[in-house]
């Protein structure tokens, strides 16, 4: 095949921007406590910006200790008086209602998600928001079947759940947290990330529209300080966190010696392993989706590509060729593949870590691409000549930066893939079924995608080994994180 | 002249061998009435680290056995304890100040508990795994796997039944263990180690440290090559909180202290704490 060497002709699509008129953006937002939007106790607020343009989207209240107290108290009241006493089939109907409203308002949610997060509308519209609705629909069905979840004949909810979620999938992470908690009979106080609070606040409106009893869902906005106040609050029974391994460690320390249950969904540095017999074009699509989906802001991103040495040149040709067709730019343009980096802080972190790749002798390549002049942008990047000792092979970059390594034998691939303190996910590309199964068996990772990548489903448990955290989200296992065993056969 | 008895030197059990503590320290073990029973090896920080190395080395092989085989190996241990019933009975009676019949009942329960766990080896995946019905053309399966090296602080009071009740659930799924026995009552643990050494349990799968849990546990809690920590035998709440906080260094899975009724049939919680769930996706098509 020689045509790989021919530079592809750029296809000039006309811009196809999604209208943002569907979103009714308010200049300022309060906290959602006990079923109502309220001002923060001390009146502090912060701004949330559109990372694609740096335009200020809204002012959002910053919850302090008193606000967190009020939210936890509201959740406790709702837990004791209403939600834990409600028959499961009634709770189910509320969750079904929410699932339906999410679907009805999906366009509005997708636009707002892309505005606040910077992710392409193609992804928020086709991936995030449909999954969010599906997540509530799936867990709604569990609410009246808890005794069949494998946790004894009468599993009990834990009480008030404190939930802290990251900025990479603001709504999706909200649904992963809130849907199983509510299905199991818990009430929640959720803190969205400070750079992406808006869709959580729109979700609060949806709770109102669904007539969800006040206090069942509370949303406190703020940064790390608010999160700390929430997870260390003595009135919470369960802490669930998705985010960085460092913060996860701090939270694990802070709940030590308490009765609080804890689940952590932390970072990753996933290996995407490509064997010489793999369907190469499909594999290249998988590599691209693995690292450039959501600008690489994915904890399970396939950020370490391991290519079998004898197909390395061919794979790199195809990969570079494919990368030149990626369209970087306006997240609201329906043609956009790669959107904006979520914040200046994150852009700085990516830039800094990528520089260590240069400094340590790896070779950098990016396709030619014009980046917008305002906003936060990083061109899709690959590093070749990477060794296991390089920082870019060891540390999570959390951006559109791929490190490429090679291997010769399956044993070497396994050893390199497992040579990390993380263990969230891995990819395997080969046509040989027995090899897929053997690799899946030997990889120390919570999710193994074989001949596919970055697939999520509410019925499928997701979570990490080792320092990628503990507990699973999705499926029956995700429910278990919000229930205590009860009954005779527990 | 009457015959002089041959007294036993009690040692540690690490990597399938019975070393003395590298520190050279021992401690006096007395029976419930304070009468001298033996000098037991007092494990040091270095012994704990050696035990972790042995447990890590044994992990791949043990986790890689078929569950059917692990079940058989565990059952074989029960057979071996049964064969040494009298020795265990006198060990437990001396350690816990029980009459021979009382101690014998505890040994019976320990054997039965071991058999109970043996039967779980090839059923765990059926009970804790799933076929996941996802909304797309994918084969999607979740199954349990062992988490790795588990450090266990055994119950302080119940020297054999308690020890068996915390050890068997750790190893049945393929984890390997470093166990710190009861400090006051370590001798049944060493007798159990002798059983393990002569059964079919590979060396390093279980490592038994006798000594002061308060001194050893912090090293195990902070060890970066330990994946999980069972604090069952820690009786001081503040100490347990410190150990749990220390375990956060590499996000160890932690089982908090508890004092369950060891005679009751356990649930599966002790096993599931030390399991990971692996989910595998593959497209379905032609």
């Amino acid at each position: 095949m020689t045509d790989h060497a021919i530079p592809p002709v750029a296809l000039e699509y006309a811009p196809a921007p999604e209208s943002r008129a569907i979103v009714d953006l308010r200049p300022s937002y309060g906290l959602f406590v006990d079923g109502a939007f309220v001002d923060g106790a001390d009146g502090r607020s912060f701004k949330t910006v559109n990372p694609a343009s740096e335009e200020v989207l809204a002012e959002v209240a910053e919850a302090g200790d008193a606000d967190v107290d009020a939210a936890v108290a509201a959740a406790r009241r709702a837990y004791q008086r209403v939600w834990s006493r409600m028959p499961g089939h009634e709770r189910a109907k509320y969750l079904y209602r929410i699932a339906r409203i999410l679907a009805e308002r999906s366009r509005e949610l997708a636009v707002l998600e892309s505005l606040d997060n910077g992710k392409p509308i193609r992804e928020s519209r086709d991936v995030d928001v449909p999954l969010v609705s599906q997540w509530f629909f799936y867990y709604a069905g569990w609410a009246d079947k808890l005794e069949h979840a494998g946790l004894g004949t009468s599993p009990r909810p834990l009480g008030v759940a404190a939930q802290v979620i990251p900025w990479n999938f603001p709504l999706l992470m909200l649904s992963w947290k809130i849907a199983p908690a509510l299905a199991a009979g818990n009430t929640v106080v959720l803190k969205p990330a400070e750079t992406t609070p808006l869709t959580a606040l729109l979700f609060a409106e949806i709770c109102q529209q669904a007539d969800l009893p006040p206090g069942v869902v509370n949303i406190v906005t703020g940064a790390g300080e608010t999160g700390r106040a929430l997870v260390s609050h003595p009135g919470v029974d369960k802490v669930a966190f998705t985010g960085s391994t460092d913060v996860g460690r701090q939270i694990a320390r802070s709940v030590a010696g308490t009765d609080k249950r804890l689940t952590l969904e932390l970072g990753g540095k996933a290996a995407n392993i490509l064997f010489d017999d793999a369907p190469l074009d499909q594999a290249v699509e998988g590599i691209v989706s693995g690292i450039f989906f959501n600008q690489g802001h994915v904890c399970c991103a396939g950020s370490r590509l391991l290519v079998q040495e004898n197909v390395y040149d061919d794979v790199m040709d195809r990969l570079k060729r494919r990368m030149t067709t990626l369209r970087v730019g306006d997240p609201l343009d329906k043609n956009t593949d790669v959107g904006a980096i979520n914040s200046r802080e994150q852009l700085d972190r990516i830039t800094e870590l990528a520089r260590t790749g240069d400094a340590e002798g790896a070779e950098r390549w990016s396709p030619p691409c014009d980046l917008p002049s305002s906003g936060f942008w990083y061109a899709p990047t690959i590093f070749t000549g990477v060794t296991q000792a390089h920082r870019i092979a060891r540390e999570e970059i959390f951006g559109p930066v791929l490190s490429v390594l090679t291997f010769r034998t399956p044993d070497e691939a396994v050893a390199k893939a497992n040579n990390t303190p993380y263990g969230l996910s891995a990819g395997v590309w080969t046509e040989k079924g027995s090899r897929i199964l053997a690799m899946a068996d030997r990889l120390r990772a919570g999710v193994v995608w074989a001949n596919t990548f970055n697939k999520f489903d509410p019925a499928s448990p997701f979570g990490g080994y080792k320092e990628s955290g503990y507990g699973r989200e999705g499926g029956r296992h995700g429910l278990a994180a919000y229930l205590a065993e009860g009954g005779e056969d527990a | 002249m009457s015959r002089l008895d041959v007294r036993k030197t009690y040692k540690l059990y690490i990597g399938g061998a019975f070393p003395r503590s590298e520190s050279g320290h021992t401690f006096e073990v007395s029976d419930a009435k304070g009468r001298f029973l033996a000098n037991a090896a007092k494990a040091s920080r270095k012994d704990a680290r050696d035990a972790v190395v042995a447990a890590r080395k044994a992990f791949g092989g043990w986790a890689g056995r078929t569950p059917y085989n692990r079940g058989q190996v565990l059952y074989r241990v029960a057979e071996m304890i049964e064969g040494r019933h009298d020795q265990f009975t006198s060990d437990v009676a001396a350690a816990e100040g029980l009459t021979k019949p009382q101690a014998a009942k505890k040994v019976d329960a320990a054997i039965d508990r071991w058999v109970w766990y043996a039967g779980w080896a090839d059923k765990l995946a059926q009970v804790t795994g799933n076929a996941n019905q996802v909304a797309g053309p994918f084969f999607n399966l979740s199954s349990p796997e062992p988490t790795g090296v588990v450090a266990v602080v055994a119950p302080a009071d119940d020297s054999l039944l308690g020890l068996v009740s915390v050890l068997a659930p750790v190893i049945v799924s393929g984890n390997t263990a470093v166990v710190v026995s009861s400090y006051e009552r370590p001798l049944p643990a060493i007798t159990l180690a002798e059983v393990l050494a002569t059964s079919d349990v590979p060396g390093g799968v279980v490592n038994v440290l006798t000594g002061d849990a308060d001194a050893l546990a912090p090293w195990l809690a902070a060890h970066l090559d330990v994946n999980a920590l069972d604090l069952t035998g820690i009786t001081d709440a503040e100490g347990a909180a410190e150990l749990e906080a220390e375990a956060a260094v590499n996000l160890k899975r932690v089982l908090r202290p508890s004092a369950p009724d060891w005679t009751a049939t356990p649930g599966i919680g002790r096993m599931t704490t030390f399991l990971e769930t692996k989910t595998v996706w593959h497209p379905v098509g032609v």
Side-chain angles (χ1 to χ4, degrees), chain A residues 249 255-258 260 440-441 443-448 450-451 455 457 459-461 464-466 469 472 476-477 490, chain B residues 127-128 130 132 134-135 138 140 142 145-147 241 244-245 248-250 252-253 256 267 276-283:
Chain A
R249 253 192 276 276
V255 304
T258 70
K260 290 176 195 171
D441 199 40
L443 292 166
R444 301 289 293 164
V447 182
V448 178
N451 291 325
K455 291 285 182 291
D457 193 283
S460 180
Y465 284 44
K466 302 193 279 188
R472 294 293 179 271
R476 194 168 63 81
H477 295 75
Chain B
V127 172
T128 65
N130 292 310
N132 309 311
V134 298
F138 292 95
N140 188 269
S142 293
E145 289 191 343
T147 198
E244 185 183 341
V249 63
N250 64 337
K252 288 181 185 68
R253 285 70 177 130
R256 289 177 176 149
E276 302 291 345
T277 298
K278 177 181 280 178
T279 300
V280 179
W281 291 70
H282 195 279

Side-chain angles (χ1 to χ4, degrees), chain B residues 80-102:
Chain B
M80 304 279 286
I81 304 174
E82 188 81 57
R84 293 217 205 179
H85 201 288
D86 289 351
Q87 187 189 354
F88 277 106
T89 300
S90 65
D91 273 8
V92 170
E96 299 180 25
L98 302 175
T99 65
K100 282 282 162 74
Q102 286 169 327

Side-chain angles (χ1 to χ4, degrees), chain A residues 118-120 122-123 169 272 284-298 300-303 305 319-320 322-324 326-328 336-341 365-367 378-383 399-404 453-454:
Chain A
K119 66 175 68 202
R122 196 168 57 77
E123 291 177 5
F169 293 94
N272 203 358
V284 165
E285 287 306 308
I287 295 164
V288 167
S289 136
I291 187 62
F292 302 122
F293 175 65
N294 205 37
Q295 296 74 246
H297 300 331
V298 186
C300 49
S303 54
L305 175 63
L319 177 61
K320 288 178 176 176
R322 174 67 179 87
M323 282 172 66
T324 57
L326 289 173
R327 299 174 70 94
V328 184
T336 293
D337 298 306
V338 178
I341 301 301
W365 184 87
S366 286
Y378 202 87
T381 299
I382 51 177
F383 277 104
V401 182
L402 178 68
S403 297
V404 186
F453 210 92
N454 268 346

